[in-house]
RNA sequence: GGAGAGGUCGCCUAGUGGCCUAGGGCGCCGCACUGGAAAUGCGGUAUGGGGCAACCCAUCGAGGGUUCAAAUCCCUCCCUCUCCGCCA
């Protein structure tokens, strides 16, 4: 994932400012420009020498064809020219390779500049753009006197036998929840419900991707080398457990060129997600707010550049539809430059309200990468028939992640009598309107 | 896992060291012919990089090697197909 060389040359100021806004080192931009100049110089020298060598070799062929002795003086002289050029090419090639890898290294450290409408600053500059639904209180005064206190999701789940964290730890490790009974069914119901809405109502194409990807795919979406610590790796087979369906689904079209009329391409994909959560030890250890394996429906879009800004708004709205239908209160945050990530141009986070733990829980992150991700994967399209290919814009967003949604459902729909009302849209999938009692 | 066959331009295919600067067919685009179309003819039809440009460089699954010169020869790997074994 990196900034394009053409753009680097054309608008270095914008890229420099983008780096500053994201809290990255802007001097890298100038170092990269210098190396790029050197690269082009070396490439020119090298290409000229290669042209000489090719011409000499060709002449040898022609001379022999016309009857010259293959070991005669004429051929020997030409052979010398070719050999000499080859020697010089190798010398340049060494410096060129070093220059290119140094340049590549620098480019990887230049962030994707944020869109102009993104607030500049750290997390404190994040903007709540809208809030939906009723923010339920933890403590509810009862008509008959006294107070009912909403319990955290792990207590609700324990009473209703919906998941079993202890046994999950026994068979796999902590952070690998076992869903049981109606808890298991709720997983299926949520996945089914979300995919049904995204395909039947939102027109997306459903994808059921592999749960492991090869190194090329992990590299394509930038999981390696940057985030290798976050992934489960299968070294024997050089495979990686997917941390999100974004990885396999975006890579579907790696090294492909679309015709303009094929875009946009919009996918909805269910996959299990595996995350080592290295460095997160001690955070959210109770319940299922932070786990190593979870399930998620992800939306992945390939768009024409001019359509991507609007597509992000629509994408975010499609994730909101899921939360609205589930009747969960949520808010939408527009992430500020230093809090949005290195590769995103604009990002919204969706957070649901969990009244039992009295917290906003992130269940979706919707991003426009513009051409930054497409560049590394060489995903392009032809604006018009016969035109030169241009990079597409890629976007993705959760629609939505299950565990925290489950937590919010349990905490929102729990009843004073200990039972759980099933959200209306899930009743047909759950085949019941109530769990417990 | 074992044995064999194969991976060339959007698709099919030719090509076993040097006019391959990769040929032909199909498809597609343009032009001509036509009242319009079909058929036919002519031309064009990959990607990346460099150059004001003419043009040059790289890429024949990937990576190495041999050679003045590699689609072609050698090595390693990947993938596809067929058969056998195993298997939900």
């Amino acid at each position: 994932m990196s900034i394009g060389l053409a753009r680097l040359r054309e608008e270095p100021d914008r890229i420099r400012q983008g780096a500053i806004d994201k809290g990255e080192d802007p001097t890298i931009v100038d170092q990269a420009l210098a190396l790029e100049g050197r690269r082009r110089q070396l490439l020119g020298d090298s290409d000229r020498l290669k042209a000489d060598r090719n011409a000499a070799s060709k002449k040898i062929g022609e001379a022999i064809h016309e009857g010259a002795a293959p070991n005669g003086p004429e051929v020997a002289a030409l052979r010398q020219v070719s050999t000499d050029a080859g020697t010089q090419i190798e010398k340049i090639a060494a410096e060129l390779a070093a220059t290119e890898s140094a340049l590549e290294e620098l480019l990887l450290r230049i962030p994707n500049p944020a869109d102009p409408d993104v607030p500049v600053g750290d997390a404190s500059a994040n903007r709540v753009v809208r809030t939906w639904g009723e923010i339920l209180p933890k403590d509810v005064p009862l008509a008959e006197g006294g107070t009912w206190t909403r319990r955290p999701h792990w207590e609700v789940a324990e009473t209703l036998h919906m998941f079993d964290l202890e046994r999950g730890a026994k068979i796999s490790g902590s952070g690998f929840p076992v869903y049981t009974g109606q808890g298991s069914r709720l997983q299926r119901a949520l996945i089914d419900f979300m995919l049904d809405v995204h395909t039947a109502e939102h027109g997306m194409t459903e994808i059921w991707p592999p749960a492991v990807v090869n190194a090329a795919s992990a590299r394509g979406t930038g999981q390696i080398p940057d985030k290798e610590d976050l992934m489960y790796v299968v070294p024997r087979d050089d495979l990686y457990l997917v941390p999100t369906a974004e990885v396999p689904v975006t890579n579907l079209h790696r090294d492909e060129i679309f015709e303009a009329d094929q875009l946009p391409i919009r996918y909805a994909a269910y996959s299990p997600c595996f995350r080592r959560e290295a460095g997160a030890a001690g955070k959210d250890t109770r319940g299922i707010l932070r786990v190593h394996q979870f399930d998620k429906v992800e939306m992945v879009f390939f768009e024409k550049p001019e359509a991507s800004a609007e597509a992000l708004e629509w994408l975010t709205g499609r994730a909101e539809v899921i939360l609205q239908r589930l009747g969960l209160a949520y808010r939408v945050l527009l992430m500020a430059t230093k809090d949005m990530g290195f590769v995103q141009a604009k990002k919204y986070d969706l957070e649901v309200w969990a009244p039992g733990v009295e917290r906003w829980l992130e269940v979706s992150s919707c991003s426009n990468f513009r051409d930054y991700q497409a560049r590394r994967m060489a995903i392009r399209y032809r604006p018009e028939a016969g035109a030169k290919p241009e990079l597409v814009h890629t976007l993705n967003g959760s629609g939505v992640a299950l565990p925290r949604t489950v937590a919010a459902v349990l905490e929102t729909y729990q009843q004073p009598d200990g039972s759980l009302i099933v959200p209306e849209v899930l009743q047909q999938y759950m085949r019941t309107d109530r769990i417990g009692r």
Side-chain angles (χ1 to χ4, degrees), chain A residues 38-324:
Chain A
R38 180 65 181 151
R39 181 191 73 93
R40 281 198 289 167
Q41 189 187 346
L42 291 168
L43 206 55
D45 293 347
S46 171
D47 279 0
R48 271 187 292 281
L49 285 163
K50 281 179 179 174
D52 291 347
R53 182 176 64 178
N54 289 347
S57 285
K58 194 179 167 189
K59 277 186 203 156
I60 291 173
E62 285 168 358
I64 292 172
H65 194 69
E66 285 162 16
N71 294 315
E74 186 189 351
V75 169
L78 285 167
R79 193 175 289 148
Q80 190 60 46
V81 170
S82 183
T83 307
D84 289 348
T87 310
Q88 290 189 63
I89 290 166
E90 276 184 40
K91 251 185 250 170
I92 294 173
E95 191 186 345
L96 187 58
T99 304
E100 282 180 336
S101 72
L103 177 59
E104 173 70 10
E105 167 74 19
L106 286 176
L107 289 177
L108 289 172
R109 292 163 56 198
I110 300 174
N112 196 9
D115 282 2
D117 56 346
V118 170
V120 175
D122 58 19
S124 65
N126 292 347
R127 195 186 303 147
V128 177
V129 292
R130 57 187 167 271
T131 303
W132 186 96
E134 186 189 353
I135 297 168
L136 296 172
K138 185 174 176 68
D139 295 314
V140 185
L142 294 172
E144 60 267 32
T147 303
W148 170 52
T149 300
R150 291 178 203 272
R151 296 178 297 163
H153 61 277
W154 56 85
E155 290 184 16
V156 177
E158 186 174 14
T159 308
L160 300 173
H161 307 293
M162 292 178 73
F163 52 73
D164 186 338
L165 302 180
E166 289 74 20
R167 290 199 175 89
K170 176 169 78 178
I171 61 174
S172 301
S174 90
F176 292 94
V178 177
Y179 295 94
T180 56
Q182 292 291 56
S184 173
R185 180 162 226 161
L186 180 59
Q187 295 289 114
R188 281 195 290 132
L190 281 165
I191 293 162
D192 241 13
F193 161 67
M194 292 178 196
L195 287 174
D196 283 351
V197 171
H198 290 320
T199 56
E201 297 182 39
H202 299 155
M204 299 176 202
T205 301
E206 184 174 338
I207 301 285
W208 194 287
V212 295
V213 293
N214 58 29
S217 295
R219 203 172 298 115
T221 34
Q223 263 64 37
I224 55 175
D226 302 4
K227 303 177 185 168
E228 197 158 355
D229 287 352
L230 303 180
M231 277 190 302
Y232 287 95
V233 185
V234 187
R236 182 166 175 167
D237 299 297
D238 200 19
L239 292 171
Y240 301 79
L241 272 64
V242 298
T244 160
E246 170 197 349
V247 178
V249 175
T250 310
N251 273 283
L252 284 177
H253 297 297
R254 174 151 47 86
D255 296 315
E256 291 184 13
I257 301 172
F258 298 114
E259 295 304 325
D261 62 9
Q262 293 178 268
L263 297 178
I265 291 172
R266 292 170 174 166
Y267 293 132
Y270 159 74
S271 88
C273 303
F274 301 89
R275 298 188 184 177
R276 295 186 61 235
E277 300 290 358
K283 269 188 189 171
D284 297 324
T285 48
R286 303 224 45 188
I288 53 172
L289 298 187
R290 186 179 292 275
V291 290
H292 290 306
Q293 178 180 341
F294 62 96
D295 300 276
K296 177 161 66 65
V297 170
E298 180 78 5
M299 301 174 281
V300 178
F301 292 3
F302 302 84
E303 299 278 340
K304 293 181 189 174
E306 65 270 21
S308 75
E310 199 180 323
L312 176 64
E313 304 303 319
W314 190 75
L315 171 77
T316 307
R318 295 323 93 191
E320 289 178 62
V321 165
I322 297 295
L323 300 178
Q324 290 170 7

Side-chain angles (χ1 to χ4, degrees), chain A residues 156 160 162 186 409-415 417-423 433-437:
Chain A
V156 177
L160 300 173
M162 292 178 73
L186 180 59
V409 167
L410 296 185
E411 295 184 11
T412 300
Y413 285 91
Q414 62 179 303
Q415 301 300 306
D417 66 3
S419 68
L420 184 80
I421 301 278
V422 174
D433 58 4
R434 203 179 182 103
I435 298 171
R437 306 268 155 151

